[in-house]
Amino acid sequence: MWLVVGSGLTLLLISSVGAALLSHWISQSIASAACAAESLAKGEYPRISPSHIKEVALLGEALKFSAGLLQERQRERDEHLRQVEAARAEAEAANRLKDEFLITVSHELKTPLNGILGWAQLLRAGKLDQEKTQQAIATIERNAKAQAQLVNDLLDTSRIVNGKLRLEPQLLNLATVIVSAADSLHHAAEVKDIDLQLQLANVEPVLGDLNRLQQVVWNLLSNAVKFTPQGGRVEVQLQQTNSFVELIVRDTGVGIKAEFLPHVFERFRQADGSTTREFGGLGLGLAIVRHLVELHGGTVQAHSEGKGKGATFTVNLPVAVRQQKISALAKTPVDSTSWAIANLYGLEGVRVLVVDDEPDARDIVTAVLTQQGAEVRACSCAAEALAQVVSWKPALILCDIGMPQEDGYDFIRKVREWEIEVGGHILAVAVTAFAGEEDRLKAIACGYQTHFPKPIEPKQLVAVVASLVQKIQP
């Protein structure tokens, strides 16, 4: 009996110890899972000890998965917050630029008005002698011209933003345009004792708008004179490089800071927008210069070694090809409906692919380029156009941006990806009603060579296409 009782007590003791150990093991695993769940609730990554208990192990895996999802959501939330913060900062910067620009406009318009009104009232009083009367008239004339220039810059900027700036092209000798602009600034240069030097080589004619190209040259020269100190030097150089006429305006002025140089052609941007700034102006001249040059199928660049080291602006404009037709063409008057000048551009046999979901837009572009001798195919969607690119291999693409299903940005990305696989390069122009500065930058960033705003002006379109075709013709 004692043997039986002893054996029973021993087994009871062993089973009790085993049960206690097992319950401790199970409770420890559950407690670890509970701590992990608590850490997860606090937004911390849970630390879960491995367990041989199937249910506890499954619970741990579920907690780990939940923690991963929460971390991913947190990263997405942080990224969205960064994007929102960046957008807010950008909006605040744009709003600050707008406020600064409005203040600058008010100041720049009122400054010449003050001189005009003041001297006009003195003239009306009739108490000025001959010398003062001449001074009053000269001051009124100078300030009126300055104010007219400010208003013209504002109007031109409005036309550029709305895509309504149009050219009246004709054959021009750029040297004559430069001399005319330099003559108008000769007095301003003399007042500051600035040495204005002209080095004008014999170059081929360009096709352009006389008034607009003179505006380009005048803006560059007036900037050079304005920012060059007393006794400085301004050099104007004209030369021809292959099929482009190159205009270089170099000064020994205040220069351009490195951090501002990338923004020098942006609208409403000035290196100094404070109330203590030394130089006046609206900050629109160079933005207008860039747009006018690009409308002529050219490019403009700025370079400066830094503050106090002067600045150099370089303009490249395509020359008119087929010089044998120039003499006969010079006898033909130029009007808004004349196609004679446009025929100077060689588009014969050039394959052009037109992509636009609007039938009217496709028809007008096709008709314009066909009359110039180009081989044109038109597509209504990006998928159809991509098939034509692969099979027909055009030399140039004119593509709309806003299209259903797939826009012009996605289309040109696919074209560039296809080119990487097979080799070669097709020039492309974004022909779109999205005419803003950000639209132009986005189009070029996506793979287009240039940006042509709608509504389409036939002569300008032909000029842009011809300038690009010259780059691919031998």
Side-chain angles (χ1 to χ4, degrees):
M1 183 179 67
W2 282 110
L3 181 61
V4 171
V5 171
S7 299
L9 291 174
T10 302
L11 290 174
L12 180 61
L13 179 62
I14 292 173
S15 61
S16 298
V17 172
L21 293 174
L22 181 61
S23 63
H24 177 72
W25 181 41
I26 294 174
S27 63
Q28 197 173 30
S29 298
I30 294 175
S32 175
C35 291
E38 185 177 354
S39 299
L40 184 61
K42 294 178 180 179
E44 302 172 356
Y45 192 82
R47 296 181 180 179
I48 303 173
S49 303
S51 175
H52 295 288
I53 303 175
K54 182 179 179 181
E55 289 77 6
V56 176
L58 290 175
L59 177 59
E61 292 297 326
L63 290 174
K64 286 183 179 179
F65 180 73
S66 299
L69 285 179
L70 287 176
Q71 283 191 332
E72 181 65 26
R73 298 284 173 80
Q74 182 67 26
R75 282 194 295 269
E76 291 177 358
R77 189 176 71 88
D78 293 342
E79 180 63 26
H80 289 158
L81 287 175
R82 281 193 294 269
Q83 292 177 357
V84 169
E85 183 64 24
R88 185 181 66 81
E90 185 177 351
E92 288 179 352
N95 194 53
R96 186 170 58 254
L97 283 175
K98 180 197 70 174
D99 292 340
E100 290 178 358
F101 176 71
L102 291 176
I103 293 172
T104 302
V105 168
S106 175
H107 176 269
E108 293 298 320
L109 290 177
K110 288 179 179 179
T111 298
L113 190 60
N114 180 63
I116 293 172
L117 290 176
W119 282 107
Q121 289 172 1
L122 291 175
L123 284 174
R124 172 175 285 185
K127 297 181 180 180
L128 298 178
D129 57 23
Q130 185 65 26
E131 183 180 353
K132 287 294 183 182
T133 299
Q134 293 301 319
Q135 181 184 356
I137 294 173
T139 303
I140 291 174
E141 183 180 5
R142 184 177 66 253
N143 283 282
K145 288 181 178 179
Q147 193 170 52
Q149 184 62 44
L150 294 174
V151 173
N152 287 336
D153 285 348
L154 288 171
L155 292 176
D156 285 342
T157 301
S158 176
R159 294 188 189 102
I160 290 170
V161 171
N162 295 324
K164 295 181 179 180
L165 188 64
R166 294 291 175 258
L167 304 181
E168 296 180 4
Q170 56 181 300
L171 284 176
L172 297 173
N173 185 341
L174 201 57
T176 305
V177 177
I178 295 171
V179 170
S180 177
D183 286 343
S184 65
L185 290 165
H186 184 71
H187 177 70
E190 278 187 343
V191 170
K192 298 179 68 175
D193 193 26
I194 292 175
D195 183 16
L196 181 57
Q197 300 180 358
L198 302 182
Q199 302 174 12
L200 309 180
N202 187 22
V203 298
E204 296 180 46
V206 299
L207 189 65
D209 188 306
L210 174 61
N211 294 327
R212 294 305 182 182
L213 286 181
Q214 192 159 357
Q215 183 179 1
V216 167
V217 178
W218 189 89
N219 277 345
L220 292 177
L221 286 181
S222 64
N223 265 6
V225 171
K226 180 171 71 172
F227 291 108
T228 299
Q230 193 82 14
R233 186 178 69 257
V234 175
E235 298 177 1
V236 182
Q237 185 177 354
L238 180 66
Q239 60 190 21
Q240 183 168 340
T241 305
N242 298 325
S243 60
F244 284 86
V245 173
E246 188 174 66
L247 166 65
I248 302 173
V249 178
R250 186 180 296 109
D251 63 64
T252 58
V254 298
I256 306 172
K257 297 178 182 178
E259 60 270 21
F260 184 72
L261 194 59
H263 308 288
V264 72
F265 292 108
E266 294 180 9
R267 291 192 297 268
F268 314 133
R269 292 292 292 267
Q270 291 181 301
D272 183 6
S274 66
T275 56
T276 59
R277 63 183 186 151
E278 182 180 355
F279 303 100
L282 298 178
L284 298 177
L286 291 178
I288 294 173
V289 165
R290 187 198 64 190
H291 188 81
L292 291 177
V293 169
E294 290 180 351
L295 277 182
H296 284 84
T299 59
V300 59
Q301 295 178 333
H303 175 74
S304 178
E305 296 294 335
K307 188 175 180 180
K309 298 183 179 180
T312 301
F313 290 86
T314 304
V315 175
N316 284 283
L317 294 172
V319 301
V321 298
R322 297 190 182 183
Q323 293 303 114
Q324 65 270 23
K325 295 187 178 181
I326 291 178
S327 58
L329 189 62
K331 302 176 182 178
T332 305
V334 179
D335 56 42
S336 59
T337 59
S338 174
W339 288 89
I341 291 179
N343 286 328
L344 284 172
Y345 292 119
L347 299 183
E348 286 80 2
V350 177
R351 291 185 176 184
V352 181
L353 180 64
V354 178
V355 189
D356 202 308
D357 61 313
E358 291 292 336
D360 293 340
R362 293 197 304 271
D363 292 343
I364 185 61
V365 174
T366 301
V368 168
L369 298 180
T370 301
Q371 288 186 15
Q372 305 308 310
E375 296 180 19
V376 183
R377 290 188 183 181
C379 301
S380 59
C381 64
E384 180 185 351
L386 191 59
Q388 287 290 338
V389 168
V390 175
S391 61
W392 192 47
K393 296 181 178 61
L396 184 70
I397 298 173
L398 301 178
C399 184
D400 186 26
I401 295 298
M403 296 186 295
Q405 297 178 354
E406 191 173 11
D407 62 21
Y409 300 129
D410 292 333
F411 167 71
I412 198 63
R413 290 191 190 100
K414 290 184 178 180
V415 171
R416 299 310 179 207
E417 291 173 359
W418 174 78
E419 288 174 343
I420 294 174
E421 296 177 0
V422 302
H425 184 68
I426 301 174
L427 298 177
V429 180
V431 183
T432 173
F434 295 106
E437 175 65 14
E438 65 279 1
D439 301 309
R440 186 187 72 85
L441 295 176
K442 184 176 181 181
I444 293 174
C446 287
Y448 290 98
Q449 270 62 51
T450 188
H451 173 272
F452 189 86
K454 293 180 179 179
I456 294 170
E457 180 68 24
K459 292 181 184 178
Q460 294 177 16
L461 179 65
V462 172
V464 170
V465 170
S467 66
L468 291 174
V469 168
Q470 289 181 14
K471 298 178 181 179
I472 59 176
Q473 287 180 340

